[in-house]
Amino acid sequence: MRRPGEVVASGRFLSKYGLRIGESFTLAAADGRHERVTLVGEVMSGPADWMRADWATVTALAPDAQANQYWVRLAPGADVGAYTKAVRAADPGLYPTEQTSVNAGVVTVISSASTLTLMLTVVAAMGVFNTVVLSARERRRDLGMLKSIGMTPRQVTVMMVVSMAGLGLVGGILGLPLGVAAYRVVIPMTEHSSHLAFPARMLGVWHPWTVALPALAGVAIAALGAVIPARAAARQTIARALRTE
């Protein structure tokens, strides 16, 4: 809101009353007072029966209304503790609390997403581990022949890790556009079903460095999962590899 007569509301409010941003409607008080207001904005979330307006709009409908909460923005560098003590000393009936930028809901979402990402990383690495173990068993004769003509165990390890890292890169390149496409579909559906309105700055999460990072993460996961079985295969003797075959 920028001036009296302007209100903002949540998506639930807009959906319940069939309103759109820019429309005007009349609010009626219990004593017969009326006030024409214009819906100028949508907040990210909120109750279905609440609006936000400036104090002039509220008092036009209820002249005797009293505030039960004050929001005070302190200047940068101000001492919050000193301000809180001063408020309590001025009026013992006030109970000031500090509102920080840390939101419990945001912390929960980020923690859950981080845990899920870690679990998916471990599962993917275990999948690579299993693939390399099976590949090493199937290629024992080839590995034995390569070692018999002079390939060192370190070279065998590097060869197997690099081959899996290449597959990880291909998987990252193929999976990245699929993930972005799913994001473009799922997030609007979530907004619509939950009657939420996310700001553009919260949805614009795809940047060049964030796009390159998942592709490189695929390489890292594949290489990490391949190291242990590749080293185990490289330590096998030539005789054992050929005898097993």
Side-chain angles (χ1 to χ4, degrees):
M1 309 83 65
R2 296 182 180 274
R3 59 182 64 88
E6 294 182 345
V7 297
V8 297
S10 67
R12 291 186 175 89
F13 183 94
L14 273 65
S15 177
K16 181 177 181 178
Y17 295 100
L19 294 172
R20 295 182 179 180
I21 295 177
E23 293 184 349
S24 299
F25 53 95
T26 301
L27 298 176
D31 60 359
R33 297 176 183 270
H34 293 78
E35 181 72 14
R36 190 74 175 174
V37 297
T38 301
L39 185 65
V40 296
E42 181 180 359
V43 294
M44 188 171 70
S45 62
D49 295 313
W50 288 12
M51 292 180 298
R52 297 185 182 186
D54 68 348
W55 189 245
T57 303
V58 174
T59 54
L61 287 169
D64 297 331
Q66 295 183 351
N68 59 10
Q69 187 179 33
Y70 299 91
W71 286 38
V72 179
R73 178 178 295 177
L74 301 182
D79 188 342
V80 179
Y83 178 80
T84 300
K85 292 180 180 179
V87 171
R88 289 175 178 171
D91 189 342
L94 296 178
Y95 302 93
T97 57
E98 179 183 359
Q99 298 290 333
T100 64
S101 58
V102 178
N103 184 285
V106 174
V107 172
T108 301
V109 171
I110 293 177
S111 300
S112 301
S114 300
T115 303
L116 181 60
T117 301
L118 180 60
M119 292 174 60
L120 292 175
T121 300
V122 173
V123 171
M126 293 301 296
V128 174
F129 181 91
N130 182 62
T131 301
V132 176
V133 170
L134 294 177
S135 176
R137 289 181 178 180
E138 292 176 356
R139 299 169 57 190
R140 279 180 175 176
R141 180 180 179 83
D142 297 335
L143 295 176
M145 294 296 294
L146 290 174
K147 294 182 69 173
S148 68
I149 61 176
M151 182 173 267
T152 64
R154 177 175 296 180
Q155 290 174 330
V156 173
T157 302
V158 171
M159 177 189 68
M160 299 185 69
V161 171
V162 169
S163 65
M164 294 307 300
L167 292 178
L169 179 61
V170 173
I173 293 175
L174 294 179
L176 191 59
L178 293 178
V180 174
Y183 176 85
R184 303 291 186 189
V185 173
V186 172
I187 296 301
M189 292 175 59
T190 303
E191 282 189 283
H192 180 74
S193 61
S194 303
H195 300 295
L196 298 174
F198 294 117
R201 62 180 177 81
M202 293 181 63
L203 299 179
V205 299
W206 298 108
H207 306 291
W209 65 272
T210 57
V211 171
L213 199 58
L216 297 177
V219 177
I221 293 172
L224 181 64
V227 168
I228 296 178
R231 292 186 62 183
R235 285 197 296 265
Q236 291 187 2
T237 62
I238 300 173
R240 181 180 179 184
L242 296 178
R243 189 183 306 112
T244 303
E245 183 64 23

